[in-house]
Amino acid sequence: MAFKDIIGQKKAINILLGTVARNRIPSAYLFAGESGIGKKLTAINLAKTLNCLKPKTPIDCCDECTSCKKIDSQTHTDFLMAAPEKGEIRVDEIRMIEEVISLAPYEGKRKAVIVDDAETMNPSAANAFLKTLEEPPPQSIIILISASPDRLPETIRSRCSRINFSPLAPEQCKEVIRAIDNQDTEITDSQLSTLSRLSMGRPGLAISSDLIEERDWFFNLFGEMSGGRNKETWADKEEMELWFNKAFMLLRDITVLKITGKSDMLINTDLEDRFAEMSKAIEMKDIIDIYGKLSFLKGYLGFNLNKSITWNYVTIIMQNLKLKNGVT
Ligand SMILES: [Zn+2]
């Protein structure tokens, strides 16, 4: 894949290619925006373009030379992709990055390091990384990727050139899902439409996970919570975050039905009847109240919120809602 093949993100890519055209490439970028919208794909394509042996005009990589292929397969000696292990980027990983970029490019033109989920750097990793950013080695580029850039220390953010990525339009979402899902399975138009809506502008999520299965999982858990049936708690932080995101989607659809009565504006159009019932049962002031409480809690997810306490608190909110409004 080359820049020309990336669906959506035209604004971000134009800004990026503008810096390449003027040869004003900063030593570090921060690609900010939600998960599954093409940040990593864009970062890989930047590394490919800067090292391509047969670059194209307008600026793009050829996607065919040995350099492009090696970066795609992560076997290029001047390219490194770092990502959290067990939810955290540790100082050892940062030391490896330092080591890689401190040397002159070996086979390419520019050393490129991508740090995925950069906000997961623990404090000592962030400190070590700050030193690298303060004295960037020549002929190197670091691209931080983050869906929660506010969780990165200000000292790191201020040393990066930030590029914002936005969720994709529904038609672009469908295009991405269709392009990826092409060969093996015959996806129907109605499935495509459901997946595109559930991904909420983040087609990468529809590709990397089963969104319908995730939604079923959420509704089961939601039923257990509001019914007072006991489940221990969320398995981990990721599951906790996923639950909150699904809960916001649920509140969003109930609100849309309550205010507009239009089912074609729902994310979960295929569950229209179920949502219609819920929207009748719950009062607007209760939706606002729950939204406020859940948003408050979600804001603390990055700060190691205690799972059991949060689970109990959220369960109480759900049970009160059921007692008051009879929501199932
Ligand atoms: Zn190439």
Side-chain angles (χ1 to χ4, degrees):
M1 184 175 266
F3 275 122
K4 66 173 171 42
D5 307 312
I6 298 178
I7 297 162
Q9 307 305 351
K10 291 289 169 256
K11 191 176 164 198
I13 291 173
N14 282 341
I15 295 171
L16 202 57
L17 294 184
T19 60
V20 178
R22 292 191 301 277
N23 204 15
R24 300 287 296 271
I25 306 164
S27 53
Y29 279 111
L30 168 60
F31 286 3
E34 291 180 55
S35 300
I37 58 175
K39 299 186 301 297
K40 191 152 71 180
L41 197 60
T42 305
I44 292 170
N45 273 286
L46 180 63
K48 281 164 71 177
T49 302
L50 294 174
N51 283 297
C52 183
L53 303 174
K54 295 175 195 161
K56 300 279 182 192
T57 313
I59 299 168
D60 208 340
C61 64
C62 75
D63 197 32
E64 286 169 353
C65 68
T66 49
S67 172
C68 282
K69 289 203 184 304
K70 278 184 173 180
I71 290 178
D72 269 336
S73 60
Q74 296 192 36
T75 53
H76 197 294
T77 46
D78 298 320
F79 176 74
L80 180 69
M81 177 105 77
E85 257 179 54
K86 293 182 187 161
E88 198 176 50
I89 296 178
R90 296 182 177 82
V91 73
D92 299 354
E93 191 81 9
I94 303 300
R95 298 257 151 80
M96 200 162 82
I97 293 174
E98 274 171 15
E99 212 175 298
V100 167
I101 61 169
S102 63
L103 303 166
Y106 179 71
E107 57 176 318
K109 299 170 204 165
R110 198 182 282 255
K111 293 257 176 188
V113 173
I114 296 174
V115 185
D116 201 8
D117 296 326
E119 75 282 358
T120 60
M121 270 188 251
N122 67 23
S124 47
N127 268 335
F129 189 67
L130 190 58
K131 292 201 180 71
T132 310
L133 284 179
E134 279 167 347
E135 292 161 23
Q139 294 174 290
S140 68
I141 180 163
I142 297 170
I143 307 164
L144 300 184
I145 294 179
S146 180
S148 308
D150 295 345
R151 289 191 204 162
L152 276 165
E154 165 61 23
T155 42
I156 288 186
R157 270 184 285 148
S158 63
R159 283 174 174 81
C160 298
S161 181
R162 177 169 171 153
I163 296 195
N164 291 322
F165 287 68
S166 321
L168 272 63
E171 279 313 308
Q172 291 174 327
C173 255
K174 283 189 193 172
E175 222 182 304
V176 176
I177 299 170
R178 198 185 285 119
I180 303 286
D181 197 79
N182 50 16
Q183 302 101 356
D184 309 329
T185 49
E186 281 287 315
I187 191 164
T188 64
D189 283 349
S190 120
Q191 283 171 325
L192 191 61
S193 177
T194 303
L195 282 177
S196 159
R197 281 170 184 268
L198 283 177
S199 74
M200 293 196 281
R202 299 164 295 169
L205 297 189
I207 295 156
S208 65
S209 52
D210 189 330
L211 291 177
I212 294 176
E213 206 174 272
E214 277 181 1
R215 187 179 62 182
D216 291 345
W217 164 82
F218 167 77
F219 275 120
N220 279 336
L221 215 54
F222 180 75
E224 282 182 12
M225 282 173 144
S226 52
R229 293 185 295 279
N230 244 350
K231 186 190 178 274
E232 204 153 290
T233 173
W234 297 285
D236 50 31
K237 200 172 140 194
E238 279 74 38
E239 210 173 280
M240 201 169 166
E241 195 150 3
L242 183 66
W243 187 93
F244 273 85
N245 289 336
K246 300 287 172 199
F248 288 125
M249 184 175 72
L250 171 80
L251 292 176
R252 182 256 180 214
D253 268 2
I254 294 174
T255 310
V256 164
L257 267 189
K258 234 181 159 48
I259 294 174
T260 70
K262 289 182 181 167
S263 58
D264 60 336
M265 290 172 73
L266 295 181
I267 293 166
N268 300 278
T269 35
D270 55 326
L271 298 182
E272 181 189 339
D273 294 346
R274 188 168 184 175
F275 277 81
E277 233 172 77
M278 284 174 143
S279 96
K280 270 184 214 144
I282 182 170
E283 286 188 34
M284 198 62 214
K285 63 176 171 42
D286 290 327
I287 298 177
I288 295 168
D289 182 47
I290 294 174
Y291 182 84
K293 285 174 179 158
L294 294 186
S295 297
F296 177 77
L297 285 174
K298 190 167 185 267
Y300 284 92
L301 280 185
F303 301 99
N304 290 331
L305 204 58
N306 181 292
K307 267 190 313 184
S308 307
I309 295 173
T310 312
W311 174 271
N312 290 338
Y313 180 58
V314 172
T315 302
I316 291 166
I317 298 174
M318 295 302 158
Q319 284 169 2
N320 284 344
L321 179 73
K322 186 186 160 80
L323 288 176
K324 208 167 157 194
N325 299 297
V327 176
T328 52

